[in-house]
Amino acid sequence: MPPSLEDELFPSTPGKFKIERNHGLMNHRQVYRCFASTSTMFLWALFLIALTASYLSFQSFVDSGRNYLSVSWGGIQWEKQVRTSAQIHRTGGMSVLVTGAAGFVGSHVSLALKRRGDGVVGLDNFNDYYDPSLKKARKSLLTSHGVFIVQGDINDAKLLAKLFDVVAFTHVMHLAAQAGVRYAMENPHSYVHSNIAGLVTLLEACKSANPQPSIVWASSSSVYGLNEKVPFSESDQTDQPASLYAATKKAGEEITHTYNHIYGLSITGLRFFTVYGPWGRPDMAYFSFTRNILQGKPITVYRGKNRVDLARDFTYIDDIVKGCVGSLDTSGKSTGSGGKKRGPAPYRIFNLGNTSPVTVPTLVSILERHLKMKAKRNIVDMPGNGDVPFTHANISSARRELGYKPTTDLQTGLKKFVKWYLSYYGYGKTVN
Ligand SMILES: O=C(O)[C@H]1O[C@H](OP(=O)(O)OP(=O)(O)OC[C@H]2O[C@@H](n3ccc(=O)[nH]c3=O)[C@H](O)[C@@H]2O)[C@H](O)[C@@H](O)[C@H]1O
């Protein structure tokens, strides 16, 4: 039976098939047919290869297009920007990945590091917990100083792996977090997402990096919770958190301890005490009070049990930056590599406060003086929303180990804040 067209076009295994059909010798016609069918086959094979190749390249075009549409990182140009930003310009300098770089503390620390010649790459997801345009303005400031901020989330393991692939970061300054004590009642899962899941994703990336970076990260004074012994010392128990925010920060301290213990990551946790200053966070009391006073709107001033005023150990941003940089400088090395611990690594926790608590009504009076306007005070009993009555830091440990010495009192710091606020927003502009 002559071979069907189908057989000629799609022989299963050509050589074997022909030998079986002809039992040995072939005549001219058979040779010609064989030659003709082989060349047809060859042409079809070429056609199929070309078809497959064009399909695959179309697919990769679609994939890369999709990547560019939904992911704002990757590519040769992006890698170049990351590398340039990470370049060290001083002897003995470090290259630091700063998470939350478009945030309040993150932007200040990034600038300070860049100014003294360290390499800095920022990472920030630019979420809308508060007005993202303020974060974008901070980003522009950093860009003008040569700091590149990658737009991405600390929960994105692929992005983190890529960053460590492109740059051998010596340090990570981890400041990305869901902040705010009272907002935790509104959106509890955002705290778990950033402060727990995001932290673990970041630590996983750091543990696997080779070399492993040293990590300095933001814990919080809120871990002291309902403690009554003052001032708060790092050796005090911290097992009475008053808010979910505090609980996630406390959990962060325990989680980082396990990564130090198992993988040899060098860890420094900083308990910040109500940080304030220029380029600050609009959700915080000093900031929202300023906005409302300027707009002639009332402010709500909480009052504690038995009509006792609430008090905070307000700490000025420049002092906090010095504490952060001092922590990076003294962090010591991580000891692991490739996910394996090679020896013990430092695990440290420091209070970064101001050591002189001020009551909230006094904070309002200082603002009134600087703004030359009277506040419309609406005094209410503190609702059970996660607030603690007072905070007060003992900073002897940070002073000894980091050379930390706060120098700005609330009066001076708020003057600088008000000056910045008026230059940034003017007198009447609305802030979200
Ligand atoms: O040290 C920290 O670890 C935390 O500091 C900050 O929390 P807090 O100390 O609570 O600051 P902040 O909100 O400015 O309230 C200040 C005071 O004003 C009172 N307060 C507040 C709002 C209001 O409308 N009225 C009022 O009286 C309020 O009752 C309080 O007594 C950070 O936000 C937090 O992210 C975390 O970093």
Side-chain angles (χ1 to χ4, degrees):
M1 191 179 29
S4 70
L5 184 63
E6 198 184 18
D7 285 342
E8 281 194 351
L9 295 183
F10 304 106
S12 54
T13 36
K16 195 175 160 200
F17 175 80
K18 289 246 156 49
I19 290 165
E20 277 172 0
R21 281 213 162 185
N22 292 293
H23 301 288
L25 293 171
M26 290 185 281
N27 59 31
H28 276 114
R29 201 178 138 80
Q30 282 173 316
V31 169
Y32 173 76
R33 277 179 58 84
C34 176
F35 177 75
S37 75
T38 309
S39 51
T40 316
M41 224 171 54
F42 180 69
L43 283 175
W44 271 102
L46 266 184
F47 173 69
L48 282 175
I49 289 167
L51 199 69
T52 313
S54 53
Y55 172 76
L56 288 176
S57 62
F58 176 72
Q59 270 300 312
S60 87
F61 171 75
V62 169
D63 282 349
S64 63
R66 194 182 298 134
N67 279 346
Y68 278 113
L69 287 177
S70 63
V71 175
S72 55
W73 56 269
I76 294 166
Q77 186 56 27
W78 178 87
E79 285 186 23
K80 202 176 151 199
Q81 284 174 299
V82 171
R83 272 197 200 95
T84 308
S85 193
Q87 264 165 18
I88 301 169
H89 295 284
R90 71 179 177 96
T91 322
M94 46 181 94
S95 58
V96 190
L97 174 65
V98 180
T99 71
F104 173 34
V105 180
S107 55
H108 281 275
V109 172
S110 298
L111 273 182
L113 291 170
K114 195 73 187 178
R115 279 200 184 110
R116 70 174 200 173
D118 292 316
V120 181
V121 175
L123 175 65
D124 204 293
N125 68 5
F126 292 88
N127 70 24
D128 62 359
Y129 167 59
Y130 62 79
D131 182 13
S133 77
L134 179 59
K135 299 180 183 183
K136 290 195 183 117
R138 295 187 191 123
K139 181 190 173 177
S140 303
L141 183 69
L142 264 62
T143 306
S144 69
H145 284 81
V147 177
F148 179 59
I149 302 189
V150 173
Q151 179 158 6
D153 198 290
I154 49 169
N155 283 283
D156 187 343
K158 278 188 186 163
L159 168 58
L160 294 177
K162 181 75 188 170
L163 283 168
F164 279 103
D165 203 29
V166 176
V167 177
F169 292 107
T170 57
H171 294 75
V172 171
M173 182 83 226
H174 175 47
L175 298 167
Q178 176 58 61
V181 174
R182 291 163 290 279
Y183 179 66
M185 290 181 73
E186 263 177 67
N187 189 356
H189 292 291
S190 65
Y191 290 79
V192 178
H193 180 74
S194 294
N195 304 357
I196 306 278
L199 175 66
V200 171
T201 308
L202 180 77
L203 291 169
E204 281 291 313
C206 294
K207 146 215 133 177
S208 306
N210 208 351
Q212 289 177 337
S214 304
I215 300 164
V216 178
W217 74 285
S219 182
S220 160
S221 72
S222 64
V223 299
Y224 291 108
L226 303 174
N227 285 11
E228 289 185 350
K229 176 190 150 281
V230 282
F232 300 153
S233 297
E234 292 88 343
S235 55
D236 295 347
Q237 278 199 306
T238 49
D239 52 6
Q240 307 185 81
S243 65
L244 182 66
Y245 169 72
T248 61
K249 286 296 181 181
K250 172 65 181 168
E253 293 186 355
E254 311 295 352
I255 289 167
T256 51
H257 187 270
T258 63
Y259 277 79
N260 166 265
H261 174 67
I262 300 173
Y263 301 110
L265 282 174
S266 160
I267 303 282
T268 305
L270 302 175
R271 293 176 178 166
F272 294 157
F273 282 70
T274 315
V275 188
Y276 72 99
W279 296 98
R281 275 172 34 207
D283 62 312
M284 289 183 67
Y286 73 96
F287 203 120
S288 63
F289 287 173
T290 301
R291 173 193 59 204
N292 281 17
I293 293 170
L294 283 169
Q295 293 177 354
K297 292 182 184 165
I299 59 170
T300 305
V301 178
Y302 299 137
R303 191 173 52 190
K305 265 190 203 146
N306 305 321
R307 304 181 148 236
V308 174
D309 290 333
L310 303 180
R312 288 290 180 275
D313 199 1
F314 295 101
T315 310
Y316 189 62
I317 183 66
D318 291 1
D319 291 324
I320 288 292
V321 169
K322 283 183 202 145
C324 291
V325 173
S327 298
L328 289 166
D329 286 342
T330 57
S331 61
K333 285 200 184 328
S334 292
T335 60
S337 65
K340 289 232 166 56
K341 180 179 176 177
R342 304 264 183 252
Y347 179 83
R348 313 181 298 170
I349 289 189
F350 295 111
N351 285 343
L352 292 187
N354 194 49
T355 70
S356 47
V358 177
T359 66
V360 177
T362 307
L363 163 83
V364 177
S365 302
I366 298 172
L367 285 175
E368 287 176 326
R369 250 196 320 278
H370 292 318
L371 293 166
K372 299 183 184 67
M373 286 177 78
K374 273 268 164 237
K376 294 177 185 159
R377 299 180 194 216
N378 182 18
I379 298 167
V380 304
D381 286 339
M382 182 174 78
N385 56 8
D387 255 334
V388 293
F390 54 83
T391 63
H392 183 181
N394 174 339
I395 58 160
S396 46
S397 208
R399 187 179 287 138
R400 197 176 52 244
E401 307 284 326
L402 314 174
Y404 172 72
K405 196 171 172 289
T407 56
T408 313
D409 62 16
L410 189 61
Q411 173 92 9
T412 313
L414 282 179
K415 188 172 183 185
K416 292 182 181 180
F417 165 72
V418 166
K419 191 173 173 216
W420 167 81
Y421 185 101
L422 295 176
S423 70
Y424 186 78
Y425 291 109
Y427 279 82
K429 201 176 153 193
T430 326
V431 191
N432 292 324

